[in-house]
Amino acid sequence: MAEFVRWGVLSTSGHAANTVIPAMKAASGGRVMAVASRDARRARAYAAAQDIPRSYGSYEALLDDPDIDAVYIPLPNSLHREWTIRAAGAGKHVLCEKPLALNAAQAAEMVAICRQAGVKLAEAFQWRHHPQAQRARALLREGTIGELRLIEAGFTFPLARPADIRLRPELGGGALYDVGCYPVALARYMTGAEPLAVTAQATWSESGVDDLLVGTLAFPGGVLAHINSSLRLPLRRYYELIGTEGSLLVNLAYNPKEGAPGEIVRRGDDRRPLETYTTGRLNSYTLMTEDFNRAVLDGTEVPFPAEDGVLNMRAIDALYEAARSGKTVKL
Ligand SMILES: NC(=O)c1ccc[n+]([C@@H]2O[C@H](COP(=O)([O-])OP(=O)(O)OC[C@H]3O[C@@H](n4cnc5c(N)ncnc54)[C@H](OP(=O)(O)O)[C@@H]3O)[C@@H](O)[C@H]2O)c1
């Protein structure tokens, strides 16, 4: 293997072009070497625009390239399982976009196959690689807000494109899959526990995906989380950890990049700001890639093994079941 991780990108994803590929290029320990598309011309144009040396007219062709060590998979959610398994079969490490799969059973299969193939698998939840999330959790653990009782967390945005993959049920569209997966993961990360029971209500788009989903998750020890996700509301990506003696509010929570100062505000009674902590204008996508590169090069475990993604999908499965049935779902 080379002294750096040689990355291939599966698809000409917009998110990869706008955010992840530039961040991967800025990361130490790796280089973006190839991109593949279902269409060779699209792959060539994308490679030229992104200054990527190789392009392929099919995902298989990229997986056949012996000079690629790892693939980043920003495909529609319904394709995460198939292409992760095929990449593992080709001996490539996988950084797969969130949500890891469409359900916990798929995610567990992906994890088992990657483990068996001896390749690394991580879900591309970049926020947990940023010191903002780590500091908020440390402040919580240090007792700065007393005992944690409630987590309020939301990720909403107004989706402008009617043909977007997020509105297509057959591609794994839906607000909970697309953005609700963050507050769910955040609540699990902050509590360090798994939900025992969930409830949820949703509104559904004409195409049949949830365009607004609000849920509650009950964690051990009497901690409740209240989450919301939407494809139809203004951009909001916040969480507040509320304890017996105050709260920690993070407004720019789930995709911190250079522009965001990594701010955490401690609030007291009547939401009065008491203290502001900042953790720096770091790019969470670059930090995530560097962590992955280090694990590949050093032969160590990734910092957030994909088993976490199985547990996140378990909670997401339960929330969808609750939203569809109107019943409390026990896990
Ligand atoms: N972590 C984050 O911050 C973040 C942000 C945005 C999105 N994402 C995730 O990234 C993934 C892709 O999202 P995106 O916004 O980049 O989507 P996108 O721009 O629509 O890109 C998806 C790509 O998948 C390929 N594809 C293969 N089969 C397809 C099909 N049947 N229909 C449409 N496209 C198909 C297409 O590339 P080719 O035609 O070239 O093969 C397409 O360019 C999703 O899993 C999403 O959840 C993560």
Side-chain angles (χ1 to χ4, degrees):
M1 200 178 130
E3 286 154 22
F4 50 86
V5 178
R6 297 166 299 179
W7 284 95
V9 178
L10 292 193
S11 89
T12 56
S13 138
H15 172 59
N18 297 334
T19 302
V20 180
I21 293 173
M24 282 184 141
K25 285 184 171 173
S28 60
R31 296 203 189 143
V32 183
M33 303 298 291
V35 62
S37 168
R38 294 168 296 171
D39 179 292
R41 261 200 310 190
R42 196 154 57 239
R44 264 199 305 279
Y46 192 92
Q50 295 288 331
D51 197 17
I52 297 172
R54 296 182 193 181
S55 70
Y56 291 104
S58 75
Y59 306 149
E60 291 91 340
L62 187 149
L63 295 183
D64 286 342
D65 182 342
D67 297 337
I68 296 297
D69 307 307
V71 291
Y72 164 57
I73 302 189
L75 287 167
N77 302 336
S78 59
L79 296 173
H80 290 179
R81 172 192 167 274
E82 175 186 349
W83 287 99
T84 293
I85 290 172
R86 291 175 79 156
K92 315 294 187 200
H93 303 289
V94 179
L95 177 63
C96 180
E97 264 308 339
K98 39 55 62 174
L100 193 56
L102 294 182
N103 54 53
Q106 283 191 358
E109 186 190 5
M110 291 155 72
V111 167
I113 288 172
C114 287
R115 290 257 176 231
Q116 209 168 14
V119 298
K120 302 194 188 305
L121 172 62
E123 184 176 20
F125 265 142
Q126 71 293 329
W127 58 272
R128 1 175 237 202
H129 299 261
H130 194 284
Q132 182 185 45
Q134 295 158 11
R135 180 91 167 106
R137 186 162 72 164
L139 289 166
L140 178 65
R141 297 281 185 276
E142 287 160 18
T144 45
I145 57 166
E147 267 184 59
L148 179 66
R149 285 279 168 255
L150 171 64
I151 298 174
E152 277 184 28
F155 196 159
T156 67
F157 74 104
L159 181 57
R161 301 169 298 272
D164 196 278
I165 56 170
R166 290 158 184 79
L167 290 172
R168 294 177 54 188
E170 74 283 10
L171 296 181
L176 177 60
Y177 278 146
D178 189 52
V179 280
C181 60
Y182 287 91
V184 172
L186 183 280
R188 296 180 41 256
Y189 173 81
M190 290 299 172
T191 56
E194 299 306 319
L196 302 170
V198 309
T199 66
Q201 296 197 61
T203 64
W204 306 88
S205 72
E206 271 178 29
S207 62
V209 303
D210 52 308
D211 56 12
L212 169 62
L213 188 141
V214 176
T216 65
L217 299 91
F219 285 91
V223 178
L224 296 181
H226 184 210
I227 62 127
N228 61 80
S229 53
S230 178
L231 308 174
R232 301 288 189 210
L233 293 176
L235 182 61
R236 297 152 58 257
R237 41 196 159 165
Y238 70 96
Y239 61 85
E240 186 166 16
L241 311 174
I242 303 155
T244 48
E245 289 164 32
S247 73
L248 294 169
L249 173 70
V250 175
N251 257 323
L252 297 174
Y254 303 112
N255 40 10
K257 297 189 217 168
E258 277 82 1
E263 213 168 75
I264 304 164
V265 181
R266 184 162 67 88
R267 308 204 291 190
D269 272 343
D270 220 6
R271 299 185 156 199
R272 199 160 45 85
L274 298 175
E275 200 166 352
T276 299
Y277 313 87
T278 54
T279 59
R281 296 176 191 278
L282 296 162
N283 185 313
S284 55
Y285 299 85
T286 300
L287 297 171
M288 169 180 73
T289 310
E290 286 180 343
D291 282 346
F292 195 99
N293 288 344
R294 207 171 299 119
V296 171
L297 295 172
D298 297 350
T300 52
E301 184 60 273
V302 290
F304 299 98
E307 279 80 358
D308 181 86
V310 179
L311 295 169
N312 213 51
M313 289 315 304
R314 192 169 155 257
I316 288 171
D317 288 350
L319 283 162
Y320 271 131
E321 189 187 333
R324 291 197 176 101
S325 68
K327 297 196 173 120
T328 300
V329 174
K330 297 216 160 80
L331 287 99

